[in-house]
Amino acid sequence: MQENLNVTGTLIWYYFICHREVWLMARNVVPDQDNSNVDLGRFIQEQSYQREKKEINLGHIKLDVISRGKEGLVIGEVKKTSKSEASARMQLAYYLSELEKLGLKAKGELRFPKEKRREIVELTDELRTKLDLAVRDILRIAYLEKPPGPIKIKYCKNCAYAEFCWS
Ligand code: SF4
């Protein structure tokens, strides 16, 4: 276990799906790389919106910039489906709050290319409070000696850790 764990957008995303997965990812337990759903997610992320791809690198965070026009900075997050939309919204809100800490005001745009759908995310006080609680709880989980026990949820079916949890 690394001493200074960075809470990342990925951990935020998993926090709203499965706490066991948060522990496994935070501890760098390598998931099953052959899982085809993991590959599809990666493929969509790499192939979609390539034409307008620009990135901001903030240390451990890499963000896709959608536009920098008179409306201000807009960052985007591409997702395979909207099934985990609430998680995706919190992940994007986390990126917006990291930018805000650096004095950059931005909006977010969630993109679901397979569904040809987009959603704008703006940082509100409610989201800031929710994020703050999530970050603290992620750290609590990551420093647990053992992972939280598996709980069967619909995401288990496509989870790269399924074999680890259920065999
Ligand atoms: S298989 Fe299910 S319980 Fe295990 S890490 Fe994945 S989502 Fe969590």
Side-chain angles (χ1 to χ4, degrees), residues 18 20-21 150-151 153 156 159 161-162 165-166:
C18 170
R20 180 175 170 85
E21 197 157 359
I151 297 170
I153 51 172
C156 293
C159 176
Y161 290 110
C165 293
W166 302 110

Side-chain angles (χ1 to χ4, degrees), residues 1-15 18-31 134-148 161 164:
M1 172 79 187
Q2 64 202 78
E3 289 216 337
N4 294 317
L5 174 83
N6 277 324
V7 172
T8 59
T10 310
L11 286 182
I12 293 281
W13 194 78
Y14 283 113
Y15 177 74
C18 170
H19 289 185
R20 180 175 170 85
E21 197 157 359
V22 167
W23 190 95
L24 292 166
M25 296 210 78
R27 299 294 187 116
N28 294 321
V29 177
V30 179
V135 167
R136 285 161 201 243
D137 205 33
I138 285 171
L139 291 171
R140 180 194 65 80
I141 292 166
Y143 286 102
L144 290 173
E145 230 165 81
K146 290 182 189 162
Y161 290 110
F164 180 82

